[in-house]
């Protein structure tokens, strides 16, 4: 499910963006595909946000069950991260002349969903190595996952604080920096998905034997 979410999201983003000649990956936020009144907004919110969000929540639940063996703090954080991603499609933002209407209830709910999804995922990703610190089977995957999480958190801070100074040209290409954040986050789920799949495959073969 983590692998599926990674592939599904990027294919959906490329496909729906291609349907809009006016849409620019460099200058437009991903959420703009689903704002109220946008072409194919309902379809994008379902395909681009809700379906991947459900997959991410299920992947997080499987990871937590594998590592913690139950519904504990890691399970709650990772499941809520996926739920938050899903809610961004349920509560699409409102825009007027290319600018978000921040006073609109749906826009506020959309922003809250984005923030909560990011926060829950970051906390869960950084908690993972603590839960797997004594597991030799998870050590290599955990190190890579933590690196991706740190890069994502650091990239977010860099985007807010330093990027406008270091690379001023990117101030006018917010879509690029947003997609870098999506890439690190979804790559984390890809790594976790591959790890869970590799762990499950020998068990299936053994059971069939």
């Amino acid at each position: 499910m983590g692998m599926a979410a990674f592939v599904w999201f990027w294919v959906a983003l490329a496909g729906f963006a291609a349907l809009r000649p006016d849409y620019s990956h460099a200058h437009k936020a991903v959420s703009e595909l689903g704002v109220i009144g946008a072409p194919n907004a309902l379809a994008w919110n379902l395909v681009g946000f809700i379906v991947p969000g459900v997959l991410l929540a299920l992947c997080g639940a499987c990871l937590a069950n594998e590592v913690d063996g139950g519904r504990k703090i890691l399970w709650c954080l990772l499941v809520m991260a996926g739920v938050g991603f899903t809610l961004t499609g349920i509560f699409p933002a409102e825009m007027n002349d290319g600018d978000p209407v921040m006073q609109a209830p749906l826009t506020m709910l959309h922003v809250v969903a984005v923030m909560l999804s990011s926060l829950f995922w970051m906390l869960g990703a950084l908690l993972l190595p603590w839960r797997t610190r004594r597991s030799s089977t998870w050590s290599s995957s955990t190190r890579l996952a933590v690196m991706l999480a740190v890069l994502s958190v650091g990239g977010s801070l860099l985007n807010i604080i330093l990027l406008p100074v270091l690379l001023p040209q990117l101030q006018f290409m917010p879509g690029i920096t947003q997609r870098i954040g999506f890439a690190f986050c979804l790559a984390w789920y890809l790594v976790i998905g591959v790890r869970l799949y590799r762990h499950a495959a020998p068990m299936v073969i053994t059971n069939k034997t």
Side-chain angles (χ1 to χ4, degrees):
M1 288 176 283
M3 294 184 287
F6 180 89
V7 175
W8 184 285
F9 176 82
W10 293 114
V11 171
L13 178 59
F16 277 88
L19 295 175
R20 289 181 52 180
D22 63 321
Y23 187 85
S24 168
H25 287 286
H27 300 95
K28 300 287 188 180
V30 173
S31 297
E32 291 190 43
L33 289 170
V35 296
I36 294 177
N40 307 306
L42 181 60
W44 163 257
N45 286 323
L46 175 61
V47 175
F49 281 144
I50 295 176
V51 171
V54 171
L55 291 172
L56 295 180
L58 293 173
C59 178
C62 292
L63 170 63
N65 288 333
E66 173 75 17
V67 172
D68 270 353
R71 296 185 179 182
K72 301 178 183 178
I73 182 64
L74 183 63
W75 189 95
C76 293
L77 289 172
L78 293 179
V79 169
M80 289 307 299
V83 171
F85 198 100
T86 299
L87 291 176
T88 60
I90 295 175
F91 302 119
E94 295 185 39
M95 298 189 70
N96 185 19
D97 295 329
D99 295 318
V101 183
M102 298 307 298
Q103 300 84 357
L106 281 176
T107 303
M108 289 189 286
L109 289 171
H110 182 85
V111 172
V112 169
V114 170
M115 294 177 63
L116 289 179
S117 177
S118 301
L119 177 62
F120 286 135
W121 172 73
M122 289 178 182
L123 292 175
L126 297 176
L127 178 62
L128 177 62
W130 178 258
R131 289 287 192 260
T132 60
R133 66 190 185 282
R134 296 176 183 173
S135 172
S136 58
T137 59
W138 274 91
S139 57
S140 60
S141 299
T142 297
R143 284 195 296 269
L144 180 55
V146 169
M147 181 183 71
L148 290 168
V150 170
L151 286 172
S152 182
V153 175
S156 299
L157 296 176
L158 183 69
N159 185 25
I160 296 171
I161 300 172
L162 295 177
L163 199 58
V165 177
L166 298 177
L167 295 171
Q169 62 271 28
L170 289 183
Q171 294 183 65
F172 306 103
M173 293 189 291
I176 297 295
T177 54
Q178 185 195 42
R179 283 156 179 76
I180 292 173
F182 270 110
F184 283 130
C185 176
L186 292 172
W188 186 90
Y189 282 97
L190 176 65
V191 169
I192 294 302
V194 170
R195 175 63 187 83
L196 289 170
Y197 177 78
R198 288 180 176 176
H199 183 261
M203 294 177 61
V204 173
I205 294 173
T206 302
N207 290 336
K208 287 184 177 179
T209 303

